[in-house]
């Protein structure tokens, strides 16, 4: 919750997304001795994207632990620590490398509670920097969140703002389940209002970033920001777009989406992950299966990533994922189609 | 229990020809070990019979013939220590003190089982009893043991984590990552490889570039012990040393127990890859009969006492099966109950 004490503009404190996540880690470690961080180069290097920063100096090498390059091993270690009373926070250096750790996350972390009849829980957090736009090409730019959202037992988050980066990470550390947080690499340097206290953003609650009447645009992570920018341009053209930032992919806040569609009668889903079998397909199907379907004045449109690996060439890279222009065009098209 | 009173044993001293590994186990300990070996054997024979009679569906991986490694390695563990097991894990559970009736209930998929019928044979866990679970993934427990070791170290609770795996798992990346991490961080973990010669049908000679799994310990700067896995006393002696080292901050060890599974990999196994002669050769090294023979030879237990241990074990297993048969199935309305912790 935003702090009441920070209402005066002079008191508004801005942090970058990376700093906000670091502050969450520091506050969680201060509050609870069971919390520890580990991952590749999280110590004196400060994390590949600077999230852990100086934490090793503040908390020592017993609680900020550099690991060998052993993704399967460290994901398994997080599972083992979690089931025996610790609260591990693991950083997978690039989310793409989680492919090496799938066994432990999908077969072990996600299933242990169920397989053991509820007699154990796995309170671990995995942070995964993902997404394209850095010119790092196909093996360092993927958006794999939908893979994990397909696995019962996991929770999957995608904070888009520094405020959520802190509040959702703290909520994830409190959560008794394995939680994966996909952080978009292009967001780490973005700045925003971040209260100093240790607040929580509830898992499973979408945020309405902008209210509107003509169309609902659902996105998450960087796509929620692109959708907001697109909505401003649409407003100049006389189209009133409501923008929903999902924040949580699993569990998903279908209520907020449904209520919005009931109001606007049009739905555009924007996501960076590969379009086919992605988050947009799920949201579209959920609407189609619900009574909200009857409120639609136009077909649902999915705007997802190309069915291709992320290319190296910057022009191609940009073309591979939805951009602000694409959102404006798709929304305009959808509203006009509905009016026709 | 022993046919002779312990004070008589103490008074008599050791027989000169009794090897130190066996002498190190008092009568009570050796009786407990033998009982658990019988329970494992009889649990699995009853599991097999239940399958044949159509009382269960699914599959199972029997460890008949491997009882000495499960019991010998866990014998020196303390009550609060942890184990992690494998798909061939009935023996480890029983060795660690799990109740056969709750295991059978789990095996039969019943709500009263250790995992309320959700885990079955391959996922039996007794978290409160320190058993952090069998595992359906070859090598799946190895990295988890590293995290348990980190947890023990952070909590300074003086415990030890013992993790079981097969020879096949030592060819998985998980094995190498786990041993390396446990060693660089000097974690209180004991790695126990039960080398039964085959990863499903693949002979270790074709699957592994070195002769022994224990040879791989040197790559991770930890002691590697290559043992006769059918010798209860010998296994227990080495395990005691490895557990003590782990507990005192000396770091992990790798113990390789060379043993043999008399049955196939699982129920689908048609045994096309090994000979009857080989199986017979290993059956002649039955770890249970070997221990009994040695105990008799050293006049520590008489035949009647040994028979009683075995009969008691059989009775316990018979009543465990009966208990499990009469327990209720889970209610389908609870299907998604434990997917998430609240």
């Amino acid at each position: 919750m935003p702090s009441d004490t920070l209402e005066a503009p002079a008191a508004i404190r801005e942090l970058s997304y990376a700093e906000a996540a670091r502050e969450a880690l520091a506050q969680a470690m201060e509050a609870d001795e069971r919390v520890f961080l580990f991952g590749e180069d999280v110590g004196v290097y400060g994390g590949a994207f600077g999230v852990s920063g100086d934490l090793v100096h503040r908390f020592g090498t017993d609680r900020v632990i550099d690991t060998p390059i052993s993704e399967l091993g460290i994901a398994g270690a997080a599972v083992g620590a979690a089931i025996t009373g610790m609260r591990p926070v693991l950083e997978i250096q690039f989310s793409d490398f989680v492919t090496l750790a799938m066994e432990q996350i999908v077969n072990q972390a996600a299933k242990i509670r169920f397989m053991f009849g509820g007699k154990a829980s796995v309170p671990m957090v995995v942070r995964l920097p993902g997404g394209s736009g850095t010119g790092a090409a196909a093996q360092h730019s993927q958006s794999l969140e939908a893979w994990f959202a397909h696995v019962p037992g996991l929770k999957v988050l995608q904070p888009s703002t520094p405020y959520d980066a802190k509040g959702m990470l703290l909520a994830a550390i409190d959560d008794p389940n394995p939680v994966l947080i996909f952080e978009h690499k292009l967001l780490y340097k973005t700045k925003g209002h971040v209260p100093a206290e240790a607040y929580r953003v509830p898992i499973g609650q979408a945020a309405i970033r902008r209210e509107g009447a003509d169309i609902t645009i659902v996105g998450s992570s960087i796509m929620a920001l692109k959708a907001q920018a697109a909505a401003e341009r649409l407003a100049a053209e006389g189209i009133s777009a409501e923008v929903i930032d999902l924040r949580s992919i699993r569990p998903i806040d279908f209520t907020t989406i449904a209520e919005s569609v009931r109001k606007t009668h049009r739905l555009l889903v924007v996501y960076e992950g590969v379009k086919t079998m992605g988050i947009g397909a799920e949201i579209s199907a959920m609407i189609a299966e619900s009574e909200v379907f009857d409120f639609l004045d136009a077909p649902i449109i999915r705007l997802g990533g190309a069915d291709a690996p992320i290319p190296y060439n910057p022009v191609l890279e940009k073309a591979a994922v939805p951009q602000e222009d694409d959102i404006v065009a798709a929304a305009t098209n959808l509203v006009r189609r509905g009016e026709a | 229990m022993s046919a002779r009173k312990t004070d008589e044993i103490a008074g008599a001293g050791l027989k000169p020809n009794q090897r130190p590994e066996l002498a190190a186990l008092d009568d009570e300990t050796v009786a407990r070990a033998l009982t658990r070996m019988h329970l494992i054997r009889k649990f699995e024979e009853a599991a097999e019979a239940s399958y044949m009679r159509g009382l269960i569906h699914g599959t199972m991986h029997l460890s008949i013939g491997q009882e000495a490694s499960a019991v010998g390695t866990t014998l020196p563990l303390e009550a609060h220590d942890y184990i992690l097991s494998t798909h061939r894990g009935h023996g480890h559970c029983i060795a660690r003190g799990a109740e056969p009736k709750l295991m059978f209930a789990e095996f039969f998929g019943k709500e009263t089982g250790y995992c309320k019928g959700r885990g079955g044979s391959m996922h039996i866990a007794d978290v409160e009893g320190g058993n952090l679970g069998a595992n359906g993934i070859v090598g799946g427990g190895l990295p988890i043991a590293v995290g348990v070791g980190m947890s023990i170290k952070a909590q300074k609770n003086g415990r030890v984590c013992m993790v079981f795996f097969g020879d096949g798992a030592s060819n998985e990346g998980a094995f190498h990552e786990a041993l390396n991490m446990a060693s660089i961080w000097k974690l209180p973990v004991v790695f126990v490889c039960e080398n039964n010669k085959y990863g499903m049908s693949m002979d270790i000679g074709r699957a592994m570039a070195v002769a022994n799994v224990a040879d791989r310990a040197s790559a991770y700067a930890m002691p590697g012990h290559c043992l006769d896995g059918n010798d209860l006393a010998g296994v227990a002696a080495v395990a005691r040393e490895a557990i003590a080292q782990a507990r005192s901050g000396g770091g992990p060890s790798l113990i390789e127990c060379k043993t043999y599974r008399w049955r196939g990999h699982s129920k689908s196994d048609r045994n096309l890859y090994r000979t009857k002669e080989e199986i017979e050769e290993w059956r002649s090294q039955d770890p249970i009969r070997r221990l009994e023979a040695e105990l008799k030879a050293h006049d520590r237990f008489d035949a009647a006492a040994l028979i009683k241990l075995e009969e008691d074990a059989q009775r316990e297993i018979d009543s465990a099966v009966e208990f499990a048969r009469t327990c209720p199935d889970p209610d389908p309305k609870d299907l998604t109950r434990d997917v998430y912790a609240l």
Side-chain angles (χ1 to χ4, degrees):
Chain A
M1 298 294 105
S3 165
D4 293 333
T5 59
L6 292 171
E7 274 172 7
I12 285 185
R13 201 177 62 121
E14 289 221 323
L15 292 182
S16 73
Y17 187 101
E19 289 164 343
R22 186 186 317 144
E23 188 165 274
L25 295 172
Q27 288 176 342
M29 290 172 84
E30 273 161 15
D32 187 345
E33 282 200 338
R34 299 173 300 173
V35 178
F36 70 98
L37 314 181
F38 66 131
E40 294 156 8
D41 310 297
V42 298
V44 286
Y45 192 93
F49 297 97
V51 171
S52 40
D54 63 346
L55 291 178
V56 71
H57 302 299
R58 291 161 66 185
F59 295 96
T61 51
D62 286 342
R63 295 187 71 194
V64 182
I65 303 168
D66 274 328
T67 68
I69 301 173
S70 303
E71 287 81 4
L72 173 62
I74 59 183
V79 174
I83 59 174
T84 51
M86 301 297 285
R87 294 272 176 169
V89 181
L90 171 65
E91 178 176 295
I92 295 289
Q93 192 164 75
F94 281 77
S95 71
D96 312 70
F97 307 161
V98 79
T99 50
L100 292 150
M102 291 303 273
E103 197 283 294
Q104 285 292 329
I105 293 174
V106 173
N107 286 323
Q108 312 293 340
K111 296 180 171 59
I112 278 178
R113 181 174 179 80
F114 185 82
M115 291 192 307
F116 293 2
K119 291 184 181 167
S121 59
V122 191
M124 61 187 267
V125 177
V126 187
R127 295 185 32 255
L128 306 113
S132 68
T134 64
Q139 294 170 342
H140 288 70
S141 304
Q142 295 166 88
S143 297
L144 301 177
E145 52 279 351
W147 289 15
F148 297 95
H150 194 64
V151 180
L154 301 179
K155 294 188 178 182
V156 183
L157 313 182
Q158 280 194 295
S160 68
T161 65
Y163 183 91
D164 284 353
K166 176 175 172 182
M168 294 179 80
L169 180 47
L170 280 167
I173 293 170
D174 289 345
D175 198 281
N177 297 287
V179 182
L180 279 67
I181 306 184
F182 285 87
E183 300 167 347
H184 201 289
K185 297 190 291 278
L186 294 183
L187 294 177
Y188 281 124
K189 289 181 179 162
T190 59
K191 291 208 161 196
H193 169 48
V194 178
E197 79 267 14
Y199 61 92
R200 268 78 178 164
V201 172
I203 292 173
Q205 260 183 33
I208 299 172
R209 297 299 188 195
R210 186 184 196 285
E211 296 206 12
D214 299 329
I215 181 171
T216 298
I217 307 179
V218 174
S220 65
S221 188
I222 201 165
M223 287 303 158
L225 304 185
K226 288 184 179 175
Q228 285 169 70
E232 296 304 319
R233 285 168 53 188
L234 290 165
E237 292 170 28
I239 295 173
S240 166
E242 180 145 303
V243 177
I244 294 174
D245 182 350
L246 276 179
R247 307 200 287 193
S248 174
I249 306 299
R250 187 183 186 112
I252 194 162
D253 180 2
F254 183 66
T255 308
T256 296
I257 301 169
E259 276 171 14
S260 179
V261 173
R262 200 188 292 265
K263 181 173 70 172
T264 65
H265 303 182
R266 294 176 190 87
L267 176 61
L268 171 64
V269 190
V270 192
Y271 51 111
E272 183 165 327
V274 170
K275 179 178 173 181
T276 306
M277 308 286 166
I279 291 162
E282 181 60 32
I283 293 172
S284 305
M286 287 172 102
I287 292 286
E289 285 176 347
S290 78
E291 40 101 29
V292 182
F293 181 73
D294 296 332
F295 288 79
L296 287 176
D297 285 345
I300 300 166
I301 298 289
R302 287 178 293 154
L303 204 53
D307 278 298
I310 299 295
Y312 172 64
N313 174 285
V315 177
L316 294 182
E317 184 184 26
K318 216 174 163 192
V321 300
Q323 302 298 334
E324 201 181 300
D325 286 349
D326 303 319
I327 301 172
V328 170
T332 306
N333 197 13
L334 191 52
V335 171
R336 292 207 181 121
R337 178 145 46 145
E339 283 167 356
Chain B
M1 286 307 301
S2 169
R4 303 173 59 188
K5 293 190 182 114
T6 20
D7 55 349
E8 280 175 14
I9 295 279
L14 299 174
K15 294 262 175 193
N17 61 344
Q18 188 171 336
R19 62 197 173 107
E21 292 87 349
L22 188 61
L25 304 174
D26 62 32
D27 281 6
E28 194 188 327
T29 306
V30 95
R32 190 173 78 235
L34 196 49
T35 293
R36 288 188 174 165
M37 288 165 76
H38 281 308
L39 285 172
I40 295 169
R41 175 79 52 95
K42 291 175 191 317
F43 180 95
E44 297 204 309
E45 286 170 351
E48 198 172 32
S50 304
Y51 181 87
M52 297 305 182
R53 289 162 59 198
L55 295 174
I56 63 148
H57 73 294
T59 189
M60 69 194 125
H61 305 80
L62 302 179
S63 65
I64 292 174
Q66 304 184 181
E67 295 87 351
S69 79
V71 175
T73 50
T74 53
L75 209 53
L77 288 175
E78 290 176 11
H80 61 208
D81 290 332
Y82 296 110
I83 68 156
L84 285 151
S85 174
T86 69
H87 60 286
R88 201 175 305 286
H90 302 149
H92 310 135
C93 286
I94 293 173
R96 196 67 190 110
E99 285 190 57
K101 68 175 192 175
L102 302 183
M103 286 179 62
F104 253 113
E106 186 58 35
F107 186 61
F108 280 24
K110 301 299 181 73
E111 186 68 38
T112 45
Y114 268 112
C115 303
K116 301 178 182 169
R118 271 67 169 180
S121 163
M122 269 196 282
H123 305 292
I124 295 176
D126 173 18
V127 179
E128 283 166 11
N131 179 349
L132 300 174
N135 210 307
I137 303 295
V138 169
L142 284 155
I144 299 177
V146 171
V148 176
M150 292 170 81
S151 187
I152 291 168
K153 211 172 167 184
Q155 294 171 22
K156 299 184 176 66
N157 58 24
R159 300 182 188 191
V160 166
C161 179
M162 178 174 281
V163 55
F164 292 94
F165 56 100
D167 43 284
S170 79
N171 297 321
E172 293 263 14
F175 166 86
H176 299 276
E177 295 188 17
L179 265 71
N180 183 54
M181 280 191 283
S183 185
I184 58 173
W185 293 329
K186 288 239 175 294
L187 298 178
V189 179
V190 179
F191 294 94
V192 178
C193 177
E194 292 183 316
N195 180 347
N196 61 21
K197 279 176 62 66
Y198 295 94
M200 208 155 156
S201 70
M202 182 75 162
D203 189 296
I204 46 163
R206 294 192 293 138
M208 230 166 60
V210 288
N212 306 302
V213 174
D215 296 343
R216 292 175 160 170
S218 65
Y220 305 105
M222 69 173 75
H225 306 277
C226 192
L227 312 183
D228 174 352
N230 284 3
D231 169 22
L232 183 277
V235 170
V238 172
R240 188 177 303 110
E241 192 184 310
I243 291 165
Q245 173 182 310
R247 209 183 301 284
S248 65
S253 307
L254 172 58
I255 296 174
E256 176 184 13
C257 295
K258 299 235 187 199
T259 182
Y260 198 76
R261 61 167 152 79
W262 295 5
R263 299 296 197 268
H265 164 74
S266 67
K267 294 320 294 173
S268 67
D269 190 337
R270 290 184 295 140
N271 247 326
L272 301 174
Y273 52 91
R274 54 184 192 173
T275 60
K276 281 199 176 68
E277 292 72 28
E278 181 184 288
I279 298 170
E280 278 313 308
E281 161 62 23
W282 279 92
R283 285 175 74 106
S284 71
Q285 300 177 46
D286 182 341
I288 294 177
R289 300 306 169 210
R290 265 176 71 176
L291 177 60
E292 287 177 333
E294 199 174 6
L295 291 170
K296 276 194 278 195
H298 294 300
D299 198 22
R300 286 186 57 174
F301 287 78
D302 62 26
L306 293 173
I307 288 168
K308 184 172 182 326
L309 289 180
E310 184 165 358
E311 286 174 348
D312 288 350
Q314 186 64 61
R315 254 191 302 280
E316 183 170 354
I317 294 301
D318 290 345
S319 81
V321 173
E322 209 37 49
F323 168 81
R325 271 166 56 91
T326 55
C327 285
D329 277 319
D331 187 332
K333 79 172 165 41
D334 294 327
L335 174 64
T336 59
R337 183 183 56 202
D338 292 313
V339 176
Y340 289 98
L342 302 174

